[in-house]
Structure formats: C-alpha cells, structure tokens
Amino acid sequence: MENKYNFKRFRRLRYNPIVRDMIRETELTKNDLIYPLFVVPGDNVKNPVKSMPGVFQLSIDKLVEECKEVRDLGIPAVILFGIPEHKDEKGSEAYAPDGIIQRAIRAIKQKVNDLLIITDVCLCEYTSHGHCGLLDGEEILNDETIALLAKEAVSHVEAGADMVAPSDMMDGRVFAIRKALDYKGFTKIPIMSYAAKYSSGYYGPFRDAAESTPAFGDRRSHQMDIGNIDEAIREVEADIEEGADIVMVKPAGPYLDVIREVKQRFKMPTAAYQVSGEFAMIKAAGQNDWIDEERVMIESLVSIKRAGADMILTYFAKDVAKWISAKG
Ligand SMILES: [Zn+2]
C-alpha cells in the first residue's frame, strides 16, 4: 500500500515498550561506574558531607565496610581521595609510605577482593596552602611538582593501587609518572589521566569533602578555561603521547561536546567525571520535589555515556547499581 502522506513514521517503534527496549542505543551498566570515596584519619568516623547528601568522609575501618558494599552491589571500581592527618607545604603525606591513602589501600586489599582501586594523584589535599603543587611565592612550580606526583603515584602502587589517576593538570606529569612506574617495574599499571580538566564552579561541594580549598587564589593557572575545546584536544593528545591509557574529561554534564570530540578523535577509553556540583544540584532539586531525582540521575548519566564516555566517575554509582539490579 502506498503511503499517501509524504513523511516518516518514527512513532512505529515507540508504541510498544518491548520494541522501545530493543532499539535503545545507549544503556547504563554497572561496568560503567566508578565510585569516588573520601578517606579521613581516625576510627569509626563517618562524617556526612553537607553539600553532598549520602556522601561521607570515612575512616579506614568504615571505608573497608563501604568497599565491601560497593563490590556487593556490582560496582567494579572506586577512586580514593585522602585527607591527611597533617598538611605541610610540600604535601608530604601524599607520598609517605604510611600516608592515609597508602594505609587505606592496604586495608581494602586485605579484606575486599576483586574491587579495582584507583587513586587520585594530586597534592592539593595534602598541602597546607591547598594548591596542587609546590609553590614559589604564589606560583606553582611545574617541574618540581611533577617529580613529587611521580613519587606519590609509585607509593600508591607499592601499597597496592591497581590504577593511578593524576588530577593536577601540571604539564608533563603523565610522562613523569609513567617513567617512574616503569622504572620500579610497574609496567602493567594503567594511568587514567584527568586530561581535560576545566577550572569549574561545579567543584564547590568536593572541596568541602576533600578539604582542599586553596588558601589564596584559584586553579586557573593550571586548569582549563571553560570556553576552550581546541585546547582540550591538545591536552588530551599530549597525555596520550605521554602514556595515558584512559583519558578523562571533567566535569561531565556541562562538557558533553568535549567528551564527544575526545572520543571521536582519539578512539581511546574515555572517562568522564560527573562532579560534586552536578550531583548536588540533582540531589537538592530532588529533595525539594522539583524534579524526579531518580529519573534525572539516570538521564544525566545516559547522556554522558551517549556523548562517548566509556566509564563515569559518579557519586550516584551506588544508587545506579541498585536501580540496575531492581530493573533486572
Ligand atoms: Zn589538585
């Protein structure tokens, strides 16, 4: 029979829910998820982060319990951020063999199998001034800093980390870390680089959680300007050349175009970090009943995946894993 109207009938594939499920192009799976966790000194500590409902600063004993739960939910990986006992100008606890992260990794590895431990590699949580590197006056010294980052990465891996994720945005740090890991025989350990990390207002709540607000100034001398995408491509390209195995775009939701471009151009495993501010906005609106939190959570993450992300660092990881399990 001839179609007397000259148009296409897209709705044919939308009437039946079974057909809708069959033709869906992008779907979240548990394997997409990486759960960020914050470790603090002490015992039996579970401090709620006010601006991030459901997120806590955990002492190592509580962290181990949390990791068991995360693994039991089917989430394959966590990324650890440490808040040290003492901060100093050089961020010494970042690369101390008995630093907070190093102890946390050992404790998790003792009690929880088959959970991938990724560590954030930066100095800002460990420096008294809250900046991501060594300072000369108010300027961050690039080359002196990357030597310490390499030391930090090696100490994480010596403690048992499965993957390291440098977040500092110093130039040449992936190269320095790769060289240092290889020199120590850790040629099998992958690097996930925060390759295109923007100087974003969406990081606000994280700084409460990681206690890493700079004492003066901001991070604009090393993080990227929000208006730039060509520069993001150059950053990602450089990190790949230096040895990054996975490249990350951060934040995620407001930078879907960057995720898309990075994925299409380099065909590399691509991660995206749905940051604290993205999470906090959805949570807050949900708690006020202004939006359907679960629906928007899923939509935000599907969009990040649809843009090209192979994996997503998200504070929603546990909620999503539960949602996927319930869906069956
Ligand atoms: Zn930093």
Side-chain angles (χ1 to χ4, degrees), residues 122 124 132 167-168 219:
C122 195
C124 51
C132 302
S167 63
D168 51 284
R219 307 209 203 282

Side-chain angles (χ1 to χ4, degrees), residues 77-89:
V78 293
I79 181 165
L80 301 181
F81 297 89
I83 295 110
E85 199 104 39
H86 304 289
K87 303 192 180 207
D88 61 28
E89 289 202 343

